[in-house]
Amino acid sequence: MTSAEHDDLRSQLGAYVLGALTPAENAEVQLHLITCAACAADVHAMRAPVDALALAVDPVDPPAAVRQRILSSIRASSSTAPRRTGRAFPSAWLAAAASVVLAIILGGYATQLRGRVQMLESQLREAITQLQTGERQMAQARLVAANAQRQLSVLAAPDVAHVDLKGQAAAPQASARALWSRSRGLLFAASNLPALPAGRTYQLWVISGKLPPISDAWIFKTDATGVVTTMFATPVTLPAPTAMAVTIEPDGGTPAPTGAMYLVGSLN
Ligand SMILES: [Zn+2]
């Protein structure tokens, strides 16, 4: 490399620091910097103030025309600069201009980054929502499974007692079965029960000999087809049932039966 060629290359260092060179020029400078300590020192000297200034400038996205104009003026200046500038290069104005251009480039990059971060945030929110939905469904499935487990445990209880209930005058088509285990509770299933009037509920009663009917707020409603399957917890001290009955009562249930009897059955 001749001295003139070297000076020419050296005059491009400012544009190199700004990232304003073509890829080919850029590669040429990079190759030269490996072997030339003087140029490497210049690049190092230019980078420090440029970086500091760039960090101090708020990132903004300038109009493309403004950005292009500044880039062109920097490149034109660097190509028409005197060939023999020696160690005085870079000039202060170039460093300042470099800082502005670099800030603009960084500003565009920051805008791009903000867009990307916003997109990632929205994807994250969506993923969290899906996760929460999945967890809710899982919790619901666990509840259903636990319920089925409890019902099965009554069916399989060694002390299980069966009561078949028959529809009465108010609901001749209705029928039900109750399975009761002192240790595991009461499983009740009914079908063909009439739709309830507003403000009314069905209530199950346990009859034990001559004691008044017992109900621990064992109330229930059917689905649209008059079907229900439900579990009731029963106290371990519950007197052994001899019969069971279902009446219609005000919402929330009553301590003693007041309404019409819909289902009645004796212990099998
Ligand atoms: Zn050099």
Side-chain angles (χ1 to χ4, degrees), residues 29-178:
V29 171
Q30 275 177 341
L31 198 64
H32 177 66
L33 287 176
I34 297 169
T35 54
C36 179
C39 288
D42 278 348
V43 166
H44 182 74
M46 275 185 267
R47 274 219 167 108
V50 162
D51 287 352
L53 275 165
L55 288 175
V57 177
D58 244 358
V60 289
D61 205 13
V66 172
R67 178 190 173 124
Q68 195 51 50
R69 210 157 52 234
I70 295 173
L71 279 173
S72 313
S73 86
I74 296 293
R75 298 200 55 190
S77 301
S78 71
S79 63
T80 58
R83 288 286 176 245
R84 300 195 169 270
T85 49
R87 298 293 299 170
F89 187 84
S91 60
W93 74 264
L94 185 54
S99 73
V100 173
V101 175
L102 199 59
I104 288 164
I105 292 165
L106 288 175
Y109 183 58
T111 304
Q112 223 180 341
L113 269 186
R114 268 200 300 275
R116 177 109 183 104
V117 166
Q118 275 165 5
M119 195 184 75
L120 287 175
E121 277 174 353
S122 114
Q123 284 175 350
L124 183 62
R125 271 196 298 275
E126 200 178 321
I128 288 172
T129 305
Q130 282 174 359
L131 191 64
Q132 285 169 342
T133 305
E135 278 171 355
R136 263 200 304 278
Q137 286 169 347
M138 183 69 87
Q140 200 152 13
R142 274 202 206 97
L143 202 66
V144 169
N147 218 18
Q149 184 74 36
R150 282 172 62 214
Q151 297 181 1
L152 268 177
S153 81
V154 174
L155 280 172
D159 62 342
V160 70
H162 294 229
V163 177
D164 288 318
L165 296 89
K166 287 188 173 54
Q168 302 300 293
Q173 304 302 314
S175 65
R177 169 166 280 193

Side-chain angles (χ1 to χ4, degrees), residues 151 154-155 177-180 185-189 229-232:
Q151 297 181 1
V154 174
L155 280 172
R177 169 166 280 193
L179 300 172
W180 174 73
L186 200 160
L187 174 59
F188 179 83
T229 301
T230 189
M231 277 283 301
F232 296 117

